[in-house]
């Protein structure tokens, strides 16, 4: 169907930035931007054929400047939290900015999501756009010059394929993810609709956190018999208010699910179903973890069409190495060795049930 390029405003530095709109034969449309390599729109036909935008976000690049919830963001070098905003690598301690209690979250505050990425390739035959970024040695506090690309591809099977590839000239930490928020009833449908989504997560274990700062204890614990268990489908809201310390710490679900212990073959991680719209989303990844976060900290955020997003208006399924993996001996390491290739694929597949 072709790829349409549209103006999307300007970067913080005044550089023009653009949207890239990709539509397949099923009238599914993916829109991404070179501002932050952000995922901006996802239009999916519901069971009645009406297209709904199922990702939260903003109407222009300027909306993404602050973006406290990281709507649509590609996060790097490291997604999620690093305890005490520090790690040791090859005998050297690296201090990162402190931006979340005493920790570092999503490698901020100098985010990849507020930078203009280079457009490396537009492939109309594959319905894909590739964005690239160069992150110099010392950027965000991390060692090594790091070059990375993120490719978004929309297949005729309604799959959004995110392919991350990168390399560095020194050992470094790399744990990238996508922080899009989904509401399969529509981005404007609100918390009640989101909590009614039926979710299944193919993870028998999760990584409990120490306290409200959400740094893992290092334990990999069974979900069995706890409100954290999504091994069988249930609504997001079913157990969210349970008197369970992990849910109290995060104000709801905001936890890493252990899909496996190590990166491996790509397989289904999770499935979400909106009974009202009929829209279904399946997540596939080769990574060992997935952060399931239900927007507990969204706070009257002005989004698309001037509408306000409130607490729990959308959910995230952020594939990843486990949080704080660079400091946790029991977790697979997030170290990228000099000369090795960081290469990982996550797929979000959309369909409709009757």
């Amino acid at each position: 169907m072709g790829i349409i390029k549209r103006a999307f405003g300007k970067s913080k530095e005044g550089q023009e930035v653009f949207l890239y709109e990709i539509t397949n034969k099923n009238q599914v449309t993916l829109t991404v931007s070179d501002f932050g390599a952000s995922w901006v729109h996802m239009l999916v036909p519901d069971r009645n054929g009406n297209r709904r935008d199922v990702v939260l976000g903003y109407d222009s690049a300027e909306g993404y400047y602050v973006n406290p919830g990281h709507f649509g963001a590609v996060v790097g070098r490291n997604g999620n939290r690093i305890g005490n905003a520090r790690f040791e690598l090859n005998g050297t301690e690296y201090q990162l900015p402190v931006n979340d209690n005493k920790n570092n979250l999503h490698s901020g505050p100098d985010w990849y999501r507020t930078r203009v990425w280079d457009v490396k390739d537009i492939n109309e035959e594959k319905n894909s756009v590739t964005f690239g970024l160069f992150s110099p040695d010392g950027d965000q506090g991390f060692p090594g010059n790091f070059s990375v690309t993120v490719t978004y591809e929309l297949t005729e099977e309604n799959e959004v394929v995110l392919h991350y590839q990168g390399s560095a000239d020194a050992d470094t930490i790399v744990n990238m993810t996508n922080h899009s928020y989904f509401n399969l009833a529509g981005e404007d449908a609100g918390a009640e609709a989101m909590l009614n989504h039926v979710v299944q997560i193919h993870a028998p274990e999760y990584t409990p956190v120490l306290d409200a700062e959400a740094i893992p204890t290092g334990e990999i614990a069974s979900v069995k018999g706890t409100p954290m268990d999504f091994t069988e489908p249930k609504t997001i809201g079913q157990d969210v208010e349970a008197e369970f310390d992990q849910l109290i710490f995060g104000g709801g679900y905001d936890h890493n699910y252990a899909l496996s212990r190590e990166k491996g073959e790509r397989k289904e991680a999770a499935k979400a179903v909106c009974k009202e719209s009929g829209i279904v989303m399946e997540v596939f990844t080769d990574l060992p973890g997935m952060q399931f976060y239900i927007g507990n900290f969204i706070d009257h955020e002005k989004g698309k069409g001037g509408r306000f997003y409130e607490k729990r208006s959308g959910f995230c399924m952020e594939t990843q190495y486990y949080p704080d993996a660079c400091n946790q001996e029991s977790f697979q390491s997030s170290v990228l060795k000099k000369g090795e290739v960081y290469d990982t694929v996550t797929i979000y597949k959309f369909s409709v049930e009757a």
Side-chain angles (χ1 to χ4, degrees):
M1 300 288 288
I3 298 173
I4 299 170
K5 180 179 177 181
R6 302 185 191 280
F8 195 49
K10 293 185 177 180
S11 73
K12 288 180 161 183
E13 297 75 32
Q15 182 179 344
E16 297 248 355
V17 293
F18 297 92
L19 286 178
Y20 298 84
E21 182 182 291
I22 308 169
T23 302
N24 70 8
K25 65 182 180 183
N26 305 315
Q27 292 304 302
V28 170
T29 297
L30 163 70
T31 307
V32 293
S33 177
D34 51 9
F35 187 68
S38 299
W39 187 347
V40 178
H41 299 288
M42 189 70 212
L43 296 169
V44 182
D46 64 17
R47 68 162 61 86
N48 297 318
N50 299 312
R51 299 205 310 165
R52 305 195 190 196
D53 187 356
V54 298
V55 296
L56 279 61
Y58 304 97
D59 291 327
S60 67
E62 289 80 2
Y64 289 87
Y65 286 2
V66 179
N67 190 6
H70 309 280
F71 295 154
V74 165
V75 180
R77 288 186 198 189
N78 183 83
N80 217 308
R81 293 170 176 85
I82 292 179
N84 294 311
R86 59 156 300 280
F87 62 92
E88 188 176 302
L89 183 58
N90 300 330
T92 299
E93 182 173 303
Y94 294 90
Q95 181 66 49
L96 308 176
V98 174
N99 70 335
D100 185 60
N101 297 303
K102 60 179 180 291
N103 310 303
N104 179 269
L105 176 63
H106 297 324
S107 307
D110 188 7
W111 322 99
Y112 279 12
R113 62 170 172 78
T114 56
R115 305 182 193 187
V116 180
W117 290 52
D118 296 322
V119 180
K120 295 290 190 181
D121 183 60
I122 297 174
N123 189 324
E124 299 219 355
E125 190 174 318
K126 286 189 67 180
N127 258 356
S128 69
V129 177
T130 299
F131 301 114
L133 188 72
F134 175 71
S135 176
D137 178 43
D139 187 16
Q140 302 171 319
F142 294 100
N145 294 297
F146 175 57
S147 296
V148 64
T149 61
V150 178
T151 299
Y152 287 90
E153 177 187 352
L154 177 62
T155 73
E156 299 299 352
E157 289 72 45
N158 304 337
E159 299 165 320
V160 177
V161 182
L162 276 81
H163 188 185
Y164 305 81
Q165 293 176 289
S167 60
D169 64 0
D171 293 358
T172 191
I173 303 297
V174 182
N175 185 15
M176 299 188 69
T177 194
N178 185 281
H179 207 297
S180 290
Y181 289 72
F182 302 95
N183 190 323
L184 303 180
E187 51 84 22
D188 57 346
E192 183 178 355
M194 194 280 293
L195 290 169
N196 281 328
H197 283 49
V198 176
V199 165
Q200 184 175 22
I201 301 174
H202 303 296
E205 300 169 309
Y206 76 110
T207 53
V209 297
L210 285 162
D211 52 31
E213 294 192 10
I215 302 300
T217 63
E219 179 187 7
I220 303 174
S222 173
V223 298
K224 191 173 182 180
T226 77
M228 310 304 292
D229 191 348
F230 281 89
T231 54
E232 296 295 328
K234 69 178 182 182
T235 64
I236 295 172
Q238 177 177 311
D239 297 323
V240 73
E241 301 298 343
E243 288 293 318
F244 186 70
D245 61 353
Q246 292 295 311
L247 291 175
I248 294 167
F249 290 154
Y253 297 105
D254 186 10
H255 291 79
N256 171 67
Y257 279 79
L259 307 169
S260 59
R261 297 299 179 96
E262 294 185 348
K263 184 177 185 288
E265 295 296 312
R266 188 160 68 243
K267 58 186 181 180
E268 184 170 317
K271 181 179 181 179
V273 180
C274 175
K275 298 292 187 181
E276 183 271 322
S277 68
I279 296 174
V280 178
M281 184 179 80
E282 297 164 278
V283 182
F284 302 83
T285 190
D286 52 19
L287 289 168
M290 185 190 80
Q291 190 83 5
F292 181 49
Y293 172 53
I294 61 168
N296 304 308
F297 301 108
I298 300 173
D299 183 18
H300 200 60
E301 183 66 14
K302 190 175 183 179
K304 293 174 179 174
R307 293 180 293 275
F308 285 90
Y309 301 132
E310 306 294 350
K311 178 180 177 179
R312 298 179 180 166
S313 291
F315 66 92
C316 304
M317 290 182 165
E318 306 160 66
T319 59
Q320 61 185 358
Y321 289 99
Y322 298 176
D324 199 36
C326 53
N327 290 317
Q328 303 271 0
E329 289 186 7
S330 56
F331 298 168
Q332 184 180 18
S333 174
S334 52
V335 171
L336 176 68
K337 294 286 191 182
K338 174 184 177 180
E340 291 186 356
V341 177
Y342 179 83
D343 193 324
T344 178
V345 172
T346 292
I347 296 171
Y348 297 88
K349 182 177 182 179
F350 297 88
S351 59
V352 178
E353 64 176 26

